[in-house]
Amino acid sequence: MTAVLGISCHFHDAAAALVVDGQVVAAAEEERFTRRKHDASFPSKAIEFCLRQAGMKAADLDHVAFYERPLTKLGRTLATAAATLPASAATTARSLRSWASERLWIRSTIVRELGVKPDSVLFCDHHESHAASAFFASPFQDAAVLTIDGVGEWNTATFGSARSDFDGGRNSLRITHGLEFPHSLGLFYSSMTDYLGFEVNEGEFKVMGMAAYGEARYVDELSRICRIGDDGSIRLDMRYFEFHRSSLRSFSPRLIELLGSDPRDPAVPFNTAAEGSAGRYSRFYADVAASVQRLCEDAVVAMADAAHRAHPSKNLALAGGVALNGLANTAVLERTPFENLYIPPAPGDSGGALGAALHVYNVVLGGRRRYVGRDAYLGAEYGEGAIAEAVRQWGVESTVYDDDKLPVAVAEQIAAGKVVGWFQGRFEWGPRALGNRSILADPRRVEMKHLINEKVKFREQFRPFAPAVAERAAAELFDGPVEQDPARFMLMVMPVSERGEKVLPAASHFGTARVQTVHEDSSPLLARLVDEVGTHTGTPVVLNTSFNLKGEPMVAAPEDALSTFMRSGLDLLVMGNHVVSKD
Amino acid sequence: MRRVAVTFVLVTGTLATCGLIARTRSVKRLRLSADSAGSPAGSGWKPLPHTPPTVRRMRRMS
């Protein structure tokens, strides 16, 4: 037996993942257990869960793989400080405190926490971890690989190629080209996220949602500060950015001058339909968001083209935080020669934990490749006993249905307009709720969007919802590559078909949707529920959004689900076979 | 105690270290300020050397 534990931490979204004999046994972000969103601390609880899930002890591990090389990253931090002091004094001091207190000591922390030998701790390159997380979870035997994020050690984007079969042949992953800090598409997008009044490393997908309300009127201006070369590399004009010298603000006053307006005030409600100056205010920022999004799509397509020129293949394995941009992902398939795309459910830094473990197992140790990631249900499961106990402790009444009747009863409630908290099986790996920790509703009812944003999740009105659609019905309702694996993970945005617009008004965001295809093989219970909803509504689709409240991680345990249920406008909570109602 | 000592060395040594680094290739890699303004885009991809990833090499933190 060969067991490799992967770890990522000390930046954002700490996580752990366990690979045993090439199979991914468990993977989870630390935030789910600590209930601190984007928790970056050493993932003790996630590690404990992974080992428990495998029935192993830390002593059984062959290697522990860390997702990046800390000393190389420190070198970049110091070089940046050298180039930017004294302007960066406060940020540098804060960063050095973090290095001195924890980041430099990651090897000894792992040895101390797990009791493993120092020699068993291995360090991967940040972008190699991303690339491995995509390729070694894909079904491809050969592929070009492309990674795009904020920054790892020095690189902000890389491409290369990978080759491997499932018959025990040699596995290879070779990163051939890299784009170096500070020229980063991820940091450009984050800086504009900051300008648009959202939190960096949290609000990027809100920018994508906001973009649909605007027109890309500022592409020329933004193209001057983030230039895309003919070879697909990008170059930032650093006079417009401050992310390299300040942790308080990512953009400089020059950007405000360029766009002719102050950054958006997050306290002012975003409403493009408002009359007068309030509407104009929102429309300006929507136009900026649309321009940022357009530029991002063009840059991702240019990078994918560069990867294809260097490594011609039909297949592309894509990862890094930018791979969460569903519009850009779809553009890659539409505008480049690649025919097949794979993106893992956790393409960001948390996914680096799994990538590091897969890289060590497949490439460094030359293990036989066995894993294809076609579902994201790698987190913890809470059985009937834990659910019943939580229900008892909270003092609520539940009705228990048998397996056959549960989807029928819940589908009836969804079709009747109820908003349902749906808690089943193992929680998802990555930032998307894919039907095990989801809030579900009827997509025919246009008012659902408003209702869930305002009364259930207490979040911004402009935020869209995704449709979870039975695989067989997807092609009729959406005009896009629904057969591609990333659609299983809600990682592609595609146009809603004419029929889809008629029957799914709550799931359409200006004629597009971030589709999740539901497959019987990977999500049998959700597939049955979606089918049952279809018998009532005529369309096997449910509205799907993550089971959490604004600012909180997705629920993990039954207690989290009950707490969220009680504090929100949810009508019904379904945990395992238990149904709790507020009626 | 070890951490306190390292913190002290890191903080007090930062300015001196940065002064030295500023004269090395590392800072040139950054292309942070004036030279990134107005220069043509493209050719930002840097070929990366391939080193076979052995267990021994991967024990290194850099």
Side-chain angles (χ1 to χ4, degrees):
Chain A
M1 184 186 79
T2 306
V4 183
L5 178 74
I7 292 175
S8 64
C9 62
H10 295 161
F11 186 44
H12 53 83
D13 297 310
L18 182 59
V19 172
V20 178
D21 288 335
Q23 287 292 351
V24 179
V25 176
E29 282 97 352
E30 184 74 353
E31 65 164 30
R32 304 295 170 89
F33 301 101
T34 60
R35 311 304 304 152
R36 288 196 297 269
K37 200 163 171 76
H38 302 306
D39 192 347
S41 58
F42 185 79
S44 305
K45 291 179 188 298
I47 292 170
E48 191 187 317
F49 151 69
C50 287
L51 293 172
R52 194 173 57 243
Q53 183 72 26
M56 291 172 62
K57 295 191 282 275
D60 301 325
L61 295 170
D62 294 277
H63 288 286
V64 179
F66 192 65
Y67 82 127
E68 62 184 12
R69 294 183 184 275
L71 284 183
T72 314
K73 197 167 190 173
L74 176 61
R76 193 249 306 158
T77 305
L78 290 174
T80 307
T84 55
L85 281 170
S88 64
T91 303
T92 301
R94 200 174 306 120
S95 168
L96 287 177
R97 266 200 303 276
S98 157
W99 278 103
S101 62
E102 52 187 16
R103 299 171 85 168
L104 266 179
W105 313 107
I106 185 64
R107 191 200 308 269
S108 49
T109 303
I110 291 170
V111 168
R112 189 185 62 243
E113 293 278 330
L114 297 178
V116 295
K117 291 180 184 158
D119 273 0
S120 70
V121 183
L122 307 181
F123 296 87
C124 298
D125 289 337
H126 185 100
H127 283 266
E128 236 165 30
S129 297
H130 279 319
S133 78
F135 179 73
F136 289 111
S138 79
F140 307 145
Q141 300 201 21
D142 74 273
V145 294
L146 173 65
T147 64
I148 316 170
D149 72 357
V151 60
E153 290 89 1
W154 275 96
N155 287 316
T156 63
T158 66
F159 64 77
S161 64
R163 182 175 288 277
S164 165
D165 56 35
F166 292 89
D167 300 322
R170 192 161 171 268
N171 304 323
S172 78
L173 170 63
R174 187 168 174 191
I175 305 292
T176 58
H177 292 79
L179 186 64
E180 286 193 342
F181 181 83
H183 304 292
S184 163
L185 183 59
L187 292 174
F188 165 73
Y189 206 95
S190 293
S191 300
M192 297 311 298
T193 298
D194 190 10
Y195 176 80
L196 290 166
F198 302 116
E199 200 183 327
V200 170
N201 291 330
E202 161 66 18
E204 281 76 0
F205 59 97
K206 298 181 190 175
V207 174
M208 200 169 75
M210 185 187 258
Y213 290 84
E215 287 178 39
R217 296 177 200 275
Y218 298 95
V219 173
D220 287 347
E221 286 83 350
L222 294 176
S223 295
R224 292 212 295 270
I225 67 170
C226 176
R227 280 164 295 154
I228 305 169
D230 292 339
D231 64 351
S233 66
I234 64 155
R235 197 170 174 83
L236 301 187
D237 185 336
M238 294 308 294
R239 294 174 303 172
Y240 294 85
F241 300 96
E242 288 192 352
F243 59 74
H244 54 301
R245 57 175 174 234
S246 167
S247 55
L248 299 176
R249 198 166 74 166
S250 303
F251 54 89
S252 75
R254 202 183 270 258
L255 179 73
I256 298 169
E257 214 174 285
L258 177 76
L259 294 173
S261 187
D262 282 341
R264 178 177 160 265
D265 179 354
V268 177
F270 176 77
N271 182 5
T272 51
E275 291 188 358
S277 61
R280 277 197 302 279
Y281 183 83
S282 292
R283 283 193 292 275
F284 166 75
Y285 296 106
D287 290 346
V288 173
S291 309
V292 171
Q293 180 58 34
R294 169 85 62 83
L295 201 63
C296 174
E297 288 167 36
D298 289 347
V300 172
V301 166
M303 288 181 181
D305 272 331
H308 190 269
R309 277 193 299 275
H311 306 285
S313 170
K314 286 189 297 187
N315 308 320
L316 177 66
L318 176 64
V322 176
L324 285 165
N325 193 305
L327 283 161
N329 297 340
T330 306
V332 165
L333 275 175
E334 285 172 349
R335 295 165 53 188
T336 73
F338 290 112
E339 294 172 22
N340 306 304
L341 179 64
Y342 184 86
I343 305 167
D349 276 4
S350 63
L354 179 54
L358 286 170
H359 186 251
V360 167
Y361 172 82
N362 287 287
V363 181
V364 183
L365 303 178
R368 184 181 181 136
R369 189 179 173 202
R370 290 196 170 87
Y371 178 68
V372 177
R374 287 223 155 100
D375 73 62
Y377 311 117
L378 298 170
E381 182 168 14
Y382 300 82
E384 159 65 24
I387 292 171
E389 177 60 16
V391 166
R392 192 189 64 75
Q393 282 194 353
W394 275 76
V396 293
E397 301 247 323
S398 73
T399 309
V400 182
Y401 288 85
D402 65 33
D403 290 350
D404 282 345
K405 291 195 179 131
L406 183 78
V408 179
V410 177
E412 255 172 40
Q413 297 290 318
I414 289 174
K418 302 287 186 193
V419 183
V420 175
W422 179 252
F423 178 108
Q424 301 292 340
R426 298 177 70 174
F427 64 69
E428 295 89 345
W429 168 235
R432 302 280 180 253
L434 299 170
N436 278 13
R437 299 292 186 276
S438 288
I439 289 173
L440 306 176
D442 184 351
R444 293 173 306 170
R445 298 165 187 266
V446 73
E447 72 276 10
M448 274 300 167
K449 216 162 160 176
H450 177 77
L451 180 83
I452 299 176
N453 272 333
E454 187 168 297
K455 296 193 175 149
V456 178
K457 297 191 76 168
F458 311 114
R459 66 181 198 181
E460 301 91 338
Q461 277 302 316
F462 68 89
R463 304 277 297 277
F465 295 104
V469 54
E471 173 203 9
R472 65 176 189 287
E476 188 195 349
L477 298 165
F478 305 99
D479 296 328
V482 290
E483 75 291 351
Q484 297 279 332
D485 282 330
R488 291 171 177 254
F489 307 137
M490 219 187 264
L491 288 170
M492 302 182 89
V493 175
M494 47 191 94
V496 181
S497 72
E498 208 174 305
R499 171 163 153 66
E501 283 290 348
K502 281 186 195 143
V503 294
L504 310 169
S508 172
H509 188 57
F510 294 91
T512 65
R514 201 174 60 196
V515 178
Q516 179 201 352
T517 51
V518 179
H519 296 248
E520 175 76 33
D521 60 353
S522 55
S523 336
L525 183 59
L526 182 65
R528 265 209 69 198
L529 177 67
V530 168
D531 280 348
E532 288 295 342
V533 169
T535 63
H536 291 279
T537 63
T539 319
V541 184
V542 291
L543 209 62
N544 178 9
T545 184
S546 54
F547 194 167
N548 64 332
L549 300 184
K550 188 181 176 188
E552 296 182 5
M554 260 190 275
V555 302
E559 295 76 15
D560 311 327
L562 277 158
S563 163
T564 303
F565 176 62
M566 294 302 185
R567 290 179 291 132
S568 71
L570 283 170
D571 299 306
L572 212 66
L573 172 62
V574 184
M575 292 195 294
N577 291 21
H578 290 252
V579 177
V580 183
S581 172
K582 280 188 186 152
D583 288 341
Chain B
M1 195 60 204
R2 185 175 166 219
R3 292 188 179 199
V4 172
V6 169
T7 308
F8 177 77
V9 170
L10 263 180
V11 172
T12 56
T14 297
L15 284 174
T17 311
C18 289
L20 286 172
I21 291 172
R23 281 166 175 73
T24 67
R25 284 190 319 176
S26 292
V27 168
K28 288 181 188 160
R29 289 170 79 179
L30 281 170
R31 293 175 287 175
L32 283 177
S33 52
D35 72 331
S36 71
S39 54
S43 68
W45 295 113
K46 189 178 160 186
L48 300 174
H50 181 63
T51 318
T54 61
V55 168
R56 190 189 171 107
R57 181 181 166 264
M58 296 194 69
R59 286 190 183 122
R60 296 208 304 259
M61 290 172 73
S62 61

